Amino acid sequence: MINFSINKAYFLQALNTTKRAISSKNAIPILSTIKIDVTSEGITLIGSNGQISIEYFISVKDENAGLLVTTPGAILLEATFFINVVSSLPDVVLDVKEIEQKQIVLVSGKSEITLKGKDAEQYPRIQEISASNPLTLPIQTLKKIISETAFAASTQESRPILTGVHFVLSDHKELKTVATDSHRMSQKNITLEKNGDNFDVVIPSRSLRELTSVFSDEIEQVEVFFANNQILFRSDNISFYTRLLEGNYPDTDRLIPTEFSSEVTFKVAHLRQAMERARLLSNATQNGTVKLEIASGVVSAHVNSPEVGRVNEEIDTEAVSGDDLNISFNPTYLIDALKAIESEKVVIRFISAVRPFTLVPAEESERFIQLITPVRTN
Amino acid sequence: MINFSINKAYFLQALNTTKRAISSKNAIPILSTIKIDVTSEGITLIGSNGQISIEYFISVKDENAGLLVTTPGAILLEATFFINVVSSLPDVVLDVKEIEQKQIVLVSGKSEITLKGKDAEQYPRIQEISASNPLTLPIQTLKKIISETAFAASTQESRPILTGVHFVLSDHKELKTVATDSHRMSQKNITLEKNGDNFDVVIPSRSLRELTSVFSDEIEQVEVFFANNQILFRSDNISFYTRLLEGNYPDTDRLIPTEFSSEVTFKVAHLRQAMERARLLSNATQNGTVKLEIASGVVSAHVNSPEVGRVNEEIDTEAVSGDDLNISFNPTYLIDALKAIESEKVVIRFISAVRPFTLVPAEESERFIQLITPVRTN
């Protein structure tokens, strides 16, 4: 029966990371528990919601963990409740001991709390992914790609494939990442430093957002493994599994226009603030759009809500060229797109009032392009 | 028609303070607006939910406000929306101008936003309270009294009078403040530095909590005025009105016991943490209680939940005297009571397992007493 002692703060941080995979409202009750698997090498914490699974390994060799394993074993405990209890304990060190009938006794200072657990055999198996030939990615690169694309994925289940982000590795080092909800699209291309096996997968955008929270910035890189319908991101301590989406991702390359009639360079912050003002009023209009007007080198934004009022604003630009234009669109799409751009300036290129326009960072070195579809207003 | 310019940040802070009285879901639609009343002396912002009303006066003499009034007037604007729009504006200075059909044009930098307003005549009148012979209270004193008592008021409307805090001034300087929800009671007595007219009122505890947020710590003192069914707290800029509760407040003095059989002194933080641990498990029990045991000078806490587990904990004490005792109660009441105590140590005095016990700060100078009723178990 389990018996170990551990640094409380370290244990709590590992529990909270693992809990990111656990939903207390899961349709499968056993998935509201956390699995604690103790061996002579260390403790593995396991959480899953059926879509993503996290394994957190705490090694007896990790000095910060202060882990001393006396007897191995495995048990399931209600995740939220167990974490609240551990968090409430008074002392730096926590002793954990299993007693009869799957009960766990936590001793910390003068406090002794006994919790009822469940048989570890009841927990579903997480698919093993063979550990051969992984792709290696710096965690910062992976997080940046996700923040540049995942927001553009659809949140509606009507076309499930669009709720994912399409990751394609070709020529063993050219990684293309793209997401679209059919109103806007975001695509990032990078060249990897280390070669890998080509792949073509669609990862749920929700899983990618969790991944961003799970891998802290102190982690340098992750290894990426594939199985039939799963992908595994692994650091020294953390294994993050997610189910892949099945189906064919639409061909997005053909959507990207190459010829334009007008081009405007903005400071990202200026344009974003103007759009946030416009959105306050456009939310009260029937079609929810802002009209952008390019006239003789001056760019302005206009919203007119018969109920609430109107906005008219000249927007500072860095450069304007090409034809005059009136184009209407949902300002939220432009705000989201601008949030994803790290560089100070953005270049927006237009074809016409009814064709998608593109955004690229003004720094040429970035291979990052976004598309927004306008809204036709008579 | 209104025309003024003002420092945006100052205006926003005043708007947000006034908005504390405004509920966007008010049954009376006009109360979702903010009234802006401009005279040559300054601007008065007015918000109300029918229960509390706030008037915020911005003087043309206040240099921080940068207020320049060109033309006076009054108008009503949707509070939340107007504040969001002001907050989104780009420049330090904001020009506000009324145009035809009750429209307001906001100009800031290159941004021009027009909002539809409503006729100020539609706004209900706030009762005038005659400004004679006010009571003067340091704001810190008032806020401390509120934080020591208001939490103990009832949140249930079954006995409306108990949702208020009873304020009684007798002998022109003895202020007693008391709240109870019939399970616990909190009473604070202070002697005022300045004399005032005696009074006996019940103020809704919700109003008092808003008051605490409305008057910032930079304000030194407030004047307190009474009318039939209202009370007004006034600082240089802010007038805070609240309706009073009608009815007789129960006589709470007779509830306070004077003889005890046991007495324990705890460090507030120790006891609170132990109760927070106990509560995690007591929440899962049928009667939601923790049992406190005093036995031969040792105090311990116990909870036993057949479903979830159990807590057994010895609690460090500073002093223990009197009889042994087992007493059960809702740990939330004790946690709330301990949160209200600023001093490091608390003295708890018991009569028996079925009689209320008292808490007083260990510092004798404080005239602050709390009562908690135990729960009979088996």
Side-chain angles (χ1 to χ4, degrees):
Chain A
M1 292 204 287
I2 294 170
N3 191 350
F4 67 89
S5 69
I6 192 165
N7 175 289
K8 186 194 110 179
Y10 189 101
F11 193 44
L12 199 56
Q13 167 268 320
L15 286 167
N16 276 318
T17 298
T18 310
K19 183 168 176 282
R20 296 202 77 95
I22 302 174
S23 159
S24 56
K25 293 175 188 159
N26 205 294
I28 305 168
I30 204 75
L31 291 183
S32 69
T33 65
I34 192 162
K35 182 175 175 183
I36 301 179
D37 199 341
V38 184
T39 68
S40 55
E41 278 98 58
I43 298 177
T44 305
L45 304 173
I46 300 167
S48 176
N49 62 9
Q51 174 102 348
I52 64 174
S53 305
I54 296 173
E55 292 182 1
Y56 198 115
F57 180 67
I58 306 168
S59 169
V60 290
K61 294 179 188 147
D62 185 342
E63 288 181 13
N64 297 323
L67 175 60
L68 190 75
V69 173
T70 311
T71 328
I75 198 156
L76 308 181
L77 291 161
E78 278 305 312
T80 305
F81 186 64
F82 178 59
I83 291 172
N84 286 343
V85 168
V86 169
S87 155
S88 79
L89 291 170
D91 209 14
V92 174
V93 174
L94 167 63
D95 288 305
V96 179
K97 193 175 177 182
E98 187 181 353
I99 57 171
E100 75 282 353
Q101 295 179 313
K102 298 288 167 198
Q103 295 186 97
I104 287 287
V105 182
L106 307 173
V107 179
S108 174
K110 291 180 183 171
S111 182
E112 183 185 303
I113 302 188
T114 307
L115 300 176
K116 309 216 166 184
K118 287 186 178 138
D119 188 346
E121 293 299 316
Q122 295 180 37
Y123 204 79
R125 261 196 109 64
I126 292 177
Q127 184 184 339
E128 302 267 327
I129 294 183
S130 65
S132 69
N133 200 20
L135 185 74
T136 305
L137 269 177
I139 191 73
Q140 293 298 350
T141 305
L142 180 61
K143 284 191 179 185
K144 185 156 193 269
I145 291 172
I146 293 171
S147 76
E148 286 171 336
T149 56
F151 72 90
S154 175
T155 53
Q156 314 209 319
E157 292 295 330
S158 53
R159 281 184 74 188
I161 195 79
L162 295 188
T163 64
V165 180
H166 192 198
F167 281 73
V168 183
L169 187 69
S170 50
D171 297 338
H172 301 285
K173 57 183 202 308
E174 293 299 323
L175 179 64
K176 182 180 85 173
T177 314
V178 62
T180 179
D181 63 3
S182 78
H183 302 291
R184 37 117 173 247
M185 189 195 89
S186 184
Q187 178 176 309
K188 173 77 175 202
N189 289 276
I190 61 168
T191 304
L192 300 184
E193 289 178 12
K194 297 182 187 173
N195 279 16
D197 290 348
N198 287 349
F199 57 82
D200 184 324
V201 296
V202 184
I203 308 177
S205 65
R206 202 184 299 171
S207 301
L208 291 170
R209 276 191 291 268
E210 280 303 328
L211 183 151
T212 297
S213 310
V214 163
F215 289 101
S216 69
D217 289 343
E218 292 124 50
I219 294 165
E220 280 192 13
Q221 56 179 35
V222 288
E223 292 178 318
V224 186
F225 302 90
F226 298 93
N228 274 343
N229 62 347
Q230 285 213 95
I231 184 169
L232 161 61
F233 297 88
R234 196 172 73 180
S235 70
D236 288 345
N237 290 103
I238 302 171
S239 297
F240 181 99
Y241 298 79
T242 170
R243 204 169 54 75
L244 296 171
L245 291 172
E246 288 175 35
N248 290 320
Y249 201 83
D251 175 13
T252 51
D253 289 334
R254 64 175 179 79
L255 301 175
I256 299 173
T258 49
E259 292 190 5
F260 304 93
S261 63
S262 352
E263 175 178 316
V264 186
T265 305
F266 296 95
K267 284 211 167 120
V268 169
H270 277 175
L271 182 58
R272 182 172 158 188
Q273 286 154 19
M275 287 299 118
E276 280 170 350
R277 282 188 284 277
R279 180 165 61 176
L280 289 170
L281 282 282
S282 74
N283 280 340
T285 65
Q286 203 171 1
N287 57 23
T289 60
V290 57
K291 183 171 81 178
L292 202 73
E293 181 180 281
I294 308 174
S296 313
V298 175
V299 178
S300 54
H302 307 273
V303 182
N304 190 355
S305 153
E307 283 84 33
V308 174
R310 54 192 179 276
V311 175
N312 295 296
E313 171 159 359
E314 187 186 327
I315 305 171
D316 287 332
T317 56
E318 303 291 306
V320 183
S321 64
D323 300 345
D324 286 357
L325 179 75
N326 279 333
I327 187 167
S328 294
F329 52 87
N330 181 334
T332 295
Y333 290 142
L334 184 49
I335 292 166
D336 287 350
L338 294 169
K339 281 183 190 168
I341 295 176
E342 279 184 6
S343 75
E344 190 199 355
K345 296 175 192 171
V346 58
V347 181
I348 305 192
R349 297 191 177 97
F350 302 91
I351 303 168
S352 79
V354 296
R355 300 278 301 279
F357 56 95
T358 67
L359 292 88
V360 296
E363 280 74 25
E364 294 262 334
S365 60
E366 292 255 22
R367 290 189 293 155
F368 178 33
I369 186 163
Q370 300 187 68
L371 232 65
I372 294 174
T373 304
V375 174
R376 286 179 203 234
T377 56
N378 53 27
Chain B
M1 292 203 286
I2 294 170
N3 192 351
F4 67 89
S5 69
I6 192 164
N7 174 289
K8 186 194 108 177
Y10 189 100
F11 193 44
L12 200 56
Q13 167 267 322
L15 287 167
N16 276 317
T17 299
T18 310
K19 184 170 175 280
R20 296 202 76 94
I22 303 174
S23 158
S24 55
K25 292 173 189 160
N26 206 294
I28 305 167
I30 204 76
L31 292 184
S32 69
T33 65
I34 192 162
K35 182 174 175 184
I36 301 178
D37 199 341
V38 185
T39 69
S40 54
E41 278 99 56
I43 298 177
T44 305
L45 304 173
I46 299 167
S48 176
N49 62 9
Q51 174 102 349
I52 65 174
S53 305
I54 296 173
E55 291 182 0
Y56 197 115
F57 180 67
I58 306 169
S59 169
V60 290
K61 293 178 189 150
D62 184 342
E63 287 182 13
N64 297 323
L67 175 61
L68 191 75
V69 173
T70 312
T71 327
I75 198 156
L76 308 182
L77 291 161
E78 279 304 314
T80 306
F81 186 64
F82 179 58
I83 291 172
N84 286 343
V85 168
V86 170
S87 155
S88 80
L89 290 170
D91 210 12
V92 174
V93 175
L94 167 63
D95 288 304
V96 179
K97 193 176 177 182
E98 187 182 353
I99 57 171
E100 75 283 351
Q101 295 179 313
K102 299 287 167 198
Q103 295 186 95
I104 288 287
V105 183
L106 307 173
V107 179
S108 174
K110 290 179 182 173
S111 183
E112 183 185 304
I113 302 188
T114 307
L115 300 177
K116 308 214 168 185
K118 287 185 178 138
D119 188 345
E121 293 299 314
Q122 295 180 38
Y123 205 78
R125 261 196 111 63
I126 292 178
Q127 184 184 339
E128 303 267 325
I129 293 183
S130 65
S132 69
N133 201 19
L135 184 75
T136 304
L137 270 178
I139 190 75
Q140 293 299 350
T141 304
L142 180 61
K143 283 191 178 186
K144 185 156 191 269
I145 291 172
I146 293 170
S147 77
E148 286 171 335
T149 57
F151 72 90
S154 175
T155 53
Q156 312 210 320
E157 292 296 329
S158 53
R159 281 184 72 188
I161 196 78
L162 295 189
T163 64
V165 179
H166 193 198
F167 281 74
V168 183
L169 187 69
S170 49
D171 298 337
H172 300 286
K173 58 182 201 306
E174 292 300 322
L175 179 64
K176 181 180 87 172
T177 313
V178 63
T180 178
D181 63 2
S182 77
H183 301 291
R184 38 116 174 247
M185 191 196 87
S186 184
Q187 178 177 308
K188 172 78 176 201
N189 289 277
I190 62 168
T191 304
L192 299 184
E193 291 179 11
K194 297 182 187 172
N195 279 15
D197 290 347
N198 287 348
F199 58 81
D200 183 325
V201 296
V202 183
I203 308 176
S205 65
R206 202 185 298 171
S207 300
L208 291 171
R209 276 190 291 269
E210 280 304 327
L211 183 151
T212 297
S213 310
V214 163
F215 290 101
S216 68
D217 290 342
E218 292 124 49
I219 294 165
E220 280 192 14
Q221 57 179 35
V222 289
E223 293 178 317
V224 186
F225 303 90
F226 298 93
N228 275 341
N229 62 346
Q230 285 214 95
I231 184 169
L232 161 62
F233 298 87
R234 196 172 73 180
S235 70
D236 288 345
N237 290 105
I238 303 172
S239 297
F240 182 98
Y241 299 79
T242 170
R243 203 169 54 75
L244 296 172
L245 291 172
E246 289 175 36
N248 290 319
Y249 201 84
D251 175 14
T252 50
D253 289 334
R254 64 174 180 78
L255 301 175
I256 299 172
T258 50
E259 292 188 5
F260 304 95
S261 63
S262 349
E263 176 178 315
V264 187
T265 306
F266 295 96
K267 283 209 167 124
V268 169
H270 277 175
L271 183 57
R272 181 173 159 187
Q273 285 155 20
M275 286 301 118
E276 280 170 350
R277 282 188 286 276
R279 179 165 60 174
L280 289 171
L281 279 93
S282 74
N283 279 340
T285 65
Q286 204 172 1
N287 57 22
T289 60
V290 57
K291 183 171 80 178
L292 203 72
E293 181 180 282
I294 309 174
S296 314
V298 176
V299 178
S300 55
H302 306 272
V303 181
N304 190 357
S305 153
E307 283 84 33
V308 175
R310 54 192 180 276
V311 175
N312 295 295
E313 171 159 0
E314 185 187 327
I315 305 170
D316 287 332
T317 56
E318 301 293 306
V320 184
S321 64
D323 301 345
D324 285 358
L325 180 75
N326 279 333
I327 187 167
S328 294
F329 52 87
N330 181 335
T332 295
Y333 290 143
L334 184 49
I335 291 166
D336 287 350
L338 294 169
K339 281 184 191 168
I341 295 176
E342 278 184 8
S343 75
E344 192 199 353
K345 295 175 192 172
V346 58
V347 180
I348 304 192
R349 296 190 177 97
F350 302 91
I351 303 169
S352 78
V354 296
R355 300 278 301 279
F357 56 95
T358 68
L359 292 88
V360 297
E363 280 74 26
E364 295 263 335
S365 61
E366 291 255 22
R367 290 189 292 155
F368 178 33
I369 186 163
Q370 300 188 68
L371 232 66
I372 294 174
T373 305
V375 174
R376 286 180 204 232
T377 56
N378 66 27

